[in-house]
Amino acid sequence: MRRLEVLRVAMMPLGWRCVALYDRREFRFPVPLLWVYASGHADDIGAVVTVRALPGEAWGYFEAGNGRTGFISPCGDVKAAAQALDVLLKHRLFPVREWA
């Protein structure tokens, strides 16, 4: 939850809305999740992010539901993780533009 909360704080200045789905009893998810989405007319565009273990005792942000193929970024650099997620979400909002 701590790593997701740090990512949530980093995403907010970039203009993304975040909903923390951490409470296991309330949401009935087996792991904490963070829903990051666009505000306004495109609030159906977003990503649900979770944290998974990486080799070498590290942790990484992953898009939930995509397994290991949903890797976004290592948790060690939250600014880089927020930028990677920002690019992913902008591409979903505007698939014809280049964001990289």
Side-chain angles (χ1 to χ4, degrees):
M1 286 188 292
R2 183 172 24 102
R3 289 179 174 90
L4 289 174
E5 190 61 21
V6 170
L7 180 62
R8 184 187 71 79
V9 170
M11 293 303 294
M12 290 173 60
L14 298 175
W16 299 102
R17 299 190 76 183
C18 299
V19 175
L21 306 170
Y22 303 156
D23 189 349
R24 193 177 217 176
R25 293 176 305 237
E26 181 179 355
F27 299 110
R28 298 185 193 164
F29 298 125
V31 295
L33 301 171
L34 180 67
W35 178 29
V36 182
Y37 63 100
S39 60
H41 296 290
D43 60 355
D44 58 335
I45 304 292
V48 178
V49 180
T50 190
V51 174
R52 290 175 164 248
L54 295 173
E57 299 182 19
W59 293 93
Y61 294 109
F62 288 81
E63 190 168 5
N66 288 345
R68 296 275 175 203
T69 61
F71 178 74
I72 297 169
S73 178
C75 291
D77 185 357
V78 74
K79 185 175 180 180
Q83 289 173 343
L85 187 55
D86 183 57
V87 168
L88 173 79
L89 293 171
K90 283 179 179 174
H91 177 70
R92 287 183 182 167
L93 277 171
F94 309 104
V96 227
R97 295 180 70 175
E98 287 292 323
W99 294 102

